[in-house]
């Protein structure tokens, strides 16, 4: 749809430009009465030139978007559209005012004065625009990422010139990393003044997650640990193998040296009245809660099937 519309807009712009040039430079409209106190040739000519600028700029924008986003991912396509929208918007605005006034030098001077005044009057929007440039260049996050910006957490569904829009998770309505159905709008300027956490960022879409189970001191810890590793391997082992490869590739691009296990592992933590076992595994952040629920059910079922080897704490302080 964009290509036919873009070509049509360019064609309209070309015809309008030809008509405006003819109307403004010839005596074709010499017999027309004045319009608003100005010669008809001037009014019609400049109006057609304005239409020409709008048609050419809009058509060129549509064609550029089609060409540059044809094989791009959703994130890149979103960024390209924003950059092109800003570039063509500035060019179109300047060209339209210049054609309408026919005074390029005065126009540029006026824009400089206006821009200086706007800098003081609209500091926060300008900071948000600068932050948008930073997001586009450095890409701390993009469309589709799960992030936390200041106190807002969610999946990025849009990064515009002034705001970033999140599909909220873990809001006031839910607390288990599930979408609440609400949309949160965050000013881009917040990115420059607060921490930004990208879940699955840094080159790998996977994050480490844990499921903890509390058992009594009488528990056969070796058996309990082996059960947790078996269930985690059976549930997420295949996906985790792919995640480990991506995770190691991402680490290889940094100076950080970390030991990365090939499969799930279990850490032991001693408490006053029980022992806490935490199985650690790699998963995609959007599947984190679903995997955690399923893994906990499987581990608990195996533990309950072996009451002679796994005991649960009964202390009231638990």
């Amino acid at each position: 749809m964009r290509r036919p519309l873009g070509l049509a807009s360019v064609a309209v712009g070309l015809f309008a430009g030809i008509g405006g040039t003819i109307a403004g430079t010839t005596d074709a409209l010499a017999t027309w009465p004045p319009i608003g106190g100005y010669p008809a040739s001037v009014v019609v000519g400049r109006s057609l030139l304005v239409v020409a600028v709008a048609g050419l700029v809009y058509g060129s924008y549509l064609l550029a978007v089609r060409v540059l986003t044809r094989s791009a991912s959703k994130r890149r396509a979103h960024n390209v559209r924003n950059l092109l929208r800003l570039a063509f918007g500035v060019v179109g605005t300047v060209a339209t005012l210049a054609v309408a006034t026919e005074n390029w030098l005065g126009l540029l001077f006026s824009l400089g004065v206006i821009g200086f005044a706007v800098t003081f009057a609209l500091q926060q929007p300008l900071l948000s625009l600068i932050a948008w440039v930073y997001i586009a260049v450095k890409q701390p996050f993009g469309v589709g990422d799960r992030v936390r910006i200041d106190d807002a957490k969610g999946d990025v569904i849009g990064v515009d010139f002034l705001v970033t829009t999140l599909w909220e998770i873990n809001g006031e309505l839910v607390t288990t990393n599930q979408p609440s159905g609400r949309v949160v709008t965050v000013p881009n300027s917040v990115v420059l003044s607060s921490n930004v956490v990208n879940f699955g960022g840094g080159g790998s879409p996977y994050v480490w997650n844990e499921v903890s189970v509390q058992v009594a001191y009488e528990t056969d810890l070796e058996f309990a640990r082996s059960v947790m590793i078996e269930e985690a391997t059976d549930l997420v082992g295949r996906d985790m193998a792919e995640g480990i490869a991506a995770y190691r590739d991402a680490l290889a691009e940094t100076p950080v040296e970390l030991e990365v296990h090939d499969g799930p592992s279990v850490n032991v933590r001693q408490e006053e009245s029980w022992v806490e076992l935490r199985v650690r595994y790699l998963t995609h952040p959007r599947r984190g809660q679903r995997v955690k629920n399923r893994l906990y059910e499987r581990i608990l079922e195996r533990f309950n099937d072996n009451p002679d080897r796994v005991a649960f704490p009964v202390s009231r302080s638990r």
Side-chain angles (χ1 to χ4, degrees):
M1 180 63 183
R2 280 188 181 143
R3 183 178 180 183
L5 183 57
L7 292 175
S9 298
V10 170
V12 169
L14 290 175
F15 283 115
I18 294 172
T21 301
I22 294 174
T25 59
T26 66
D27 296 330
L29 304 180
T31 59
W32 286 32
I35 301 175
Y38 295 94
S41 59
V42 174
V43 176
V44 174
R46 293 186 183 182
S47 298
L48 288 174
L49 290 177
V50 169
V51 173
V53 169
L56 290 173
V57 171
Y58 183 64
S60 300
Y61 164 75
L62 293 179
L63 294 175
V65 169
R66 177 179 172 82
V67 171
L68 296 178
T69 62
R70 181 177 301 172
S71 58
S73 63
K74 289 184 178 180
R75 177 185 300 183
R76 182 181 176 185
H78 181 83
N79 292 335
V80 168
R81 280 194 297 269
N82 279 340
L83 287 171
L84 291 177
R85 191 181 300 127
L86 178 62
F88 280 93
V90 171
V91 171
T93 301
V94 174
T96 300
L97 293 176
V99 167
T101 61
E102 291 188 351
N103 188 355
W104 289 85
L105 184 61
L107 173 64
L108 292 177
F109 178 78
S110 299
L111 290 177
V113 174
I114 294 173
F116 183 76
V118 168
T119 300
F120 291 95
L122 302 175
Q123 293 185 21
Q124 286 303 317
L126 286 175
L127 281 176
S128 291
L129 185 60
I130 293 172
W132 172 79
V133 175
Y134 165 76
I135 295 170
V137 174
K138 297 294 292 183
Q139 296 186 348
F141 57 83
V143 174
D145 287 347
R146 175 161 292 185
V147 300
R148 184 175 70 239
I149 305 175
D150 200 10
D151 59 350
K153 183 178 179 182
D155 297 318
V156 180
I157 59 177
V159 182
D160 296 321
F161 300 135
L162 301 181
V163 298
T164 294
T165 306
L166 306 179
W167 186 258
E168 185 192 50
I169 63 170
N170 254 31
E172 300 173 355
L173 304 178
V174 293
T175 59
T176 54
N177 288 325
Q178 300 297 313
S180 67
R182 301 192 304 185
V183 173
V184 180
T185 300
V186 181
N188 289 338
S189 59
V190 176
V191 175
L192 300 177
S193 59
S194 64
N195 294 330
V196 177
V197 179
N198 189 337
F199 299 87
S204 172
Y206 297 90
V207 295
W208 291 99
N209 211 337
E210 287 184 339
V211 170
S212 62
V213 180
Q214 299 169 350
V215 297
Y217 278 102
E218 296 80 12
T219 296
D220 183 346
L221 294 182
E222 188 63 30
F223 172 77
R225 293 176 65 181
S226 65
V227 166
M228 297 178 76
I229 292 176
E230 287 175 9
E231 293 300 329
T233 302
D234 184 60
L235 183 62
V236 300
R238 181 175 302 177
D239 292 338
M240 186 171 174
E242 298 177 0
I244 289 294
Y247 195 80
R248 284 175 173 165
D249 290 341
L251 282 177
E253 300 297 328
T254 71
V256 179
E257 296 184 3
L258 293 176
E259 180 183 1
V260 182
H261 294 281
D262 292 326
S265 60
V266 175
N267 297 317
V268 181
R269 180 178 178 180
Q270 181 181 0
E271 300 290 348
E272 293 183 0
S273 303
W274 64 83
V275 177
E276 186 173 73
L277 303 179
R278 296 181 177 180
V279 58
R280 189 169 183 261
Y281 55 92
L282 201 66
T283 186
H284 195 280
R286 288 195 184 84
R287 297 192 293 267
Q289 191 61 44
R290 183 168 65 252
V291 171
K292 181 179 290 187
N293 293 342
R294 182 58 182 153
L295 182 56
Y296 184 81
E297 293 171 358
R298 293 176 63 156
I299 292 173
L300 194 62
E301 182 178 356
R302 287 283 302 277
F303 282 0
N304 287 328
D305 289 341
N306 295 273
D308 55 328
R309 307 187 69 174
V310 179
F312 294 100
V314 295
S315 172
R316 291 183 179 272
S317 62
R318 181 171 181 256

